[in-house]
Amino acid sequence: MSALLKMKSIRAGYGEADILYDVSMEVAEGEIVAIVGPNGAGKSTAMKSIFGLLNIRSGTITVGGRDITGWSPNRIVNAGVCYVPQVQNIFGEMTVHENFEMGAFLRKGDFSASLDRVYALFPDLKAKRKTIAGSLSGGQRQMVAMGRALMLDPKVLLLDEPTAGLSPKYMEQIFKICRDVRAAGVAILLVEQHAKQALAFSDRGYVLAAGRNRHEGSGPALLADRHIAEMFLGG
Amino acid sequence: MDIFSFVNFFLLPGVVQGSIYALGAIGITLIYAIMRYGHFAHGDLATFGAFTALFVAGLLGLSPYAALPVAVVVAALLAIAIDWLFYAHLRRMPKIITTIASFGVALMLRSVVQIIWGVDTTSYTRGISRPENWFGIRVKPHELVTLLVVIGLVIALHLFLTRNKWGKAMRAMSDNPDLALLSGIDNNKVIAMTWVIAGGLCAASGFFLGLNTELRSLMGWNILLPTFAAAILGGVGRIEGAIVGGLVVGVTEELSVLVIPSEYKMLSSFAILLVVLLLRPTGLFRGKIL
């Protein structure tokens, strides 16, 4: 398997302060990869660093072998990496359909095939296409957010805590959608608070702590490791 | 007072004045929605637009109506130029700095108007226009044109914002600027478009103010307070709010004459502003807090 998205020895932070000291990870085609770890480990920061949303001091980020370190978000989006932030990830005053149109903003010409694919992934939203996105339930809003990011047909989708604040029922649904998205040929890198559930359904996982890689391995292997479970996954 | 005198002497003039405020308030609200600051040069930009129409009409011997589109284009270009010269490099700084800078731009614009056109009162047409009588409702031709053009502009803006890709991008930028950037929407293009629309509408508001009253170098500055009151009453960032707010402020001003001397008309917009900020700072349509 070849690495689609690769972070190598990233040191990064906001302003003067560093948050990530040495983080490396990669996502291959067709993989679901979870980043887990305690609060303040730098999980979301690691994801944001891919998207150039903080200052990278050293290290490189590549997509399909192309160096994208320090690129502006709209070039990164064009390179095939789309990002769903944890909060404020939809246009709350616009309709569901308009959210998807904005997701396709950079595309020239017809994007009806992507739109059909997104509605096929989220059939619930098809009936709500004219509804103002901000009035939807939490789970449906998360679907709108993912749908918006999928409109550019990315190769890798970055999800920052997609199940935060959702009921267990919606959590299962979001995980199922992740598998459907993967089946449609999009690799996924996600940050999760619900570490056990996330590792159980991911192909691989990274455990971060204090801005550094601590462990990595297949989801089930990390889950089976008693030491990791005690230290990082809440027993 | 019978219903006809109420409509003829209070409601209609109030609606005309209110639609002029609405044009200005839409610009104020759009600029705040996209760039997040109050634009104090808006009134003087309107003055500039009004005088540009006067100049073009005089130069080419056109009717003032024919000069309006020229004034709209000139003001739109001037607005982009002002942004590029004075506001663009302040974008990353606290917004209050740009607000104060816009105050400086207001003074500059006013001085330019006074240097070129002087400080005397003038008007587009001489003589008194006679109202047409429609079943007891008396409408002057220029009042009718004002209302029709304002309605036309509002419909055009609405269609742009709901049907056009860039219009939707403007709404997206107002709604969630970070996500708009993540979607690849070009910030600078949206800002330029905002200035074109706000500047153009501003010139139209100045033109209609001049048409319905007279042209003075302070005309725009004097409607700045009611225009801001309209934008805040409607809910900052809400186009529909700016329109409703403009109409409410305009009609209230006219009606206030029933209880206070007409020289104190302006007090009513101040009172509206005060009441809204105290009781419902998000305005009628739940806008942003200024």
Side-chain angles (χ1 to χ4, degrees):
Chain A
M1 274 201 294
S2 63
L4 200 54
L5 173 70
K6 195 167 184 171
M7 301 174 71
K8 206 172 158 205
S9 314
I10 292 294
R11 185 182 180 92
Y14 298 102
E16 296 292 304
D18 284 347
I19 297 175
L20 304 180
Y21 295 97
D22 183 10
V23 172
S24 301
M25 52 182 74
E26 55 183 74
V27 182
E29 268 175 53
E31 260 193 329
I32 296 178
V33 177
I35 307 174
V36 299
N39 283 333
K43 305 185 294 290
S44 293
T45 311
M47 188 162 271
K48 285 179 186 151
S49 73
I50 298 172
F51 236 79
L53 299 177
L54 65 166
N55 304 323
I56 296 177
R57 322 259 192 239
S58 61
T60 55
I61 298 164
T62 54
V63 173
R66 191 152 59 141
D67 191 342
I68 62 159
T69 321
W71 281 21
S72 66
N74 79 29
R75 286 181 73 197
I76 296 176
V77 166
N78 256 339
V81 183
C82 286
Y83 169 56
V84 180
Q86 183 188 349
V87 290
Q88 298 199 323
N89 51 18
I90 57 167
F91 297 110
E93 293 168 9
M94 303 177 80
T95 65
V96 170
H97 190 74
E98 285 173 335
N99 268 271
F100 294 159
E101 281 181 309
M102 290 297 105
F105 189 81
L106 285 173
R107 298 189 51 171
K108 296 180 175 63
D110 185 39
F111 51 79
S112 56
S114 312
L115 200 57
D116 290 344
R117 205 180 57 163
V118 166
Y119 280 128
L121 276 170
F122 310 106
D124 292 2
L125 294 181
K126 190 147 195 178
K128 304 206 176 235
R129 54 201 296 280
K130 301 233 164 166
T131 308
I132 299 296
S135 70
L136 297 173
S137 71
Q140 287 173 331
R141 284 209 293 250
Q142 186 61 36
M143 293 179 197
V144 173
M146 289 172 70
R148 182 205 62 83
L150 288 169
M151 284 301 294
L152 283 177
D153 295 338
K155 299 183 196 113
V156 188
L157 187 62
L158 309 183
L159 303 174
D160 193 351
E161 302 213 16
T163 65
L166 296 185
S167 65
K169 179 190 132 208
Y170 267 121
M171 191 163 99
E172 272 313 310
Q173 197 172 352
I174 296 291
F175 286 160
K176 182 191 169 295
I177 289 163
C178 287
R179 284 189 289 264
D180 293 345
V181 168
R182 187 244 312 261
V186 183
I188 292 177
L189 177 65
L190 78 165
V191 165
E192 260 302 336
Q193 269 318 329
H194 303 105
K196 283 184 188 166
Q197 291 90 330
L199 288 175
F201 99 103
S202 299
D203 299 309
R204 286 190 308 114
Y206 291 91
V207 181
L208 294 193
R212 287 187 169 80
N213 283 54
R214 278 322 242 317
H215 300 279
E216 59 181 273
S218 75
L222 288 175
L223 273 179
D225 188 317
R226 281 204 49 209
H227 170 70
I228 294 173
E230 274 169 25
M231 293 289 287
F232 303 110
L233 309 180
Chain B
M1 188 168 57
D2 63 273
I3 180 78
F4 287 114
S5 26
F6 174 76
V7 172
N8 288 335
F9 300 122
F10 297 100
L11 188 62
L12 200 69
V15 169
V16 170
Q17 189 69 17
S19 58
I20 292 168
Y21 294 153
L23 288 183
I26 291 172
I28 301 245
T29 241
L30 267 181
I31 292 167
Y32 189 87
I34 303 295
M35 286 161 270
R36 301 286 195 271
Y37 54 79
H39 187 235
F40 282 117
H42 221 65
D44 292 283
L45 189 59
T47 310
F48 184 87
F51 276 94
T52 304
L54 180 76
F55 173 75
V56 172
L59 189 71
L60 304 176
L62 296 170
S63 100
Y65 296 117
L68 171 62
V70 182
V72 164
V73 171
V74 170
L77 295 177
L78 178 65
I80 292 195
I82 288 172
D83 176 61
W84 180 71
L85 266 173
F86 299 108
Y87 306 148
H89 55 276
L90 300 174
R91 278 219 238 288
R92 288 178 189 282
M93 299 197 185
K95 299 300 178 193
I96 186 69
I97 295 177
T98 316
T99 302
I100 302 298
S102 77
F103 205 81
V105 169
L107 296 175
M108 280 191 264
L109 276 173
R110 187 187 313 168
S111 303
V112 168
V113 167
Q114 288 175 339
I115 289 167
I116 301 178
W117 290 289
V119 294
D120 294 333
T121 302
T122 176
S123 62
Y124 289 119
T125 48
R126 294 189 202 292
I128 301 164
S129 64
R130 295 163 84 39
E132 311 251 358
N133 203 319
W134 307 57
F135 311 105
I137 308 288
R138 291 146 62 96
V139 191
K140 291 178 186 152
H142 56 78
E143 291 177 328
L144 197 63
V145 174
T146 304
L147 292 178
L148 291 178
V149 173
V150 171
I151 292 170
L153 287 172
V154 166
I155 292 175
L157 179 64
H158 177 78
L159 290 178
F160 173 72
L161 290 173
T162 52
R163 304 284 165 86
N164 180 277
K165 177 176 176 180
W166 280 99
K168 289 178 194 174
M170 273 180 77
R171 283 165 53 216
M173 188 68 85
S174 156
D175 188 340
N176 189 338
D178 293 334
L179 196 63
L181 288 178
L182 286 177
S183 305
I185 294 172
D186 184 345
N187 197 358
N188 291 320
K189 265 194 196 159
V190 169
I191 289 174
M193 240 173 303
T194 308
W195 283 113
V196 167
I197 294 170
L201 292 178
C202 197
S205 79
F207 173 81
F208 288 118
L209 185 66
L211 197 66
N212 286 282
T213 58
E214 52 198 10
L215 287 96
R216 288 179 302 123
S217 59
L218 286 176
M219 62 192 279
W221 178 252
N222 288 338
I223 64 160
L224 195 61
L225 176 63
T227 307
F228 263 91
I232 292 170
L233 170 63
V236 178
R238 300 277 177 205
I239 308 271
E240 66 276 28
I243 297 160
V244 172
L247 293 175
V248 171
V249 171
V251 172
T252 310
E253 270 190 3
E254 293 303 322
L255 289 177
S256 70
V257 188
L258 292 170
V259 286
I260 54 173
S262 63
E263 308 89 86
Y264 293 108
K265 244 192 212 178
M266 281 286 179
L267 268 182
S268 48
S269 46
F270 192 70
I272 290 177
L273 193 55
L274 213 64
V275 169
V276 174
L277 289 178
L278 284 174
L279 297 182
R280 195 181 163 97
T282 54
L284 297 172
F285 288 77
R286 293 208 171 280
K288 302 173 167 75
I289 305 273
L290 198 63

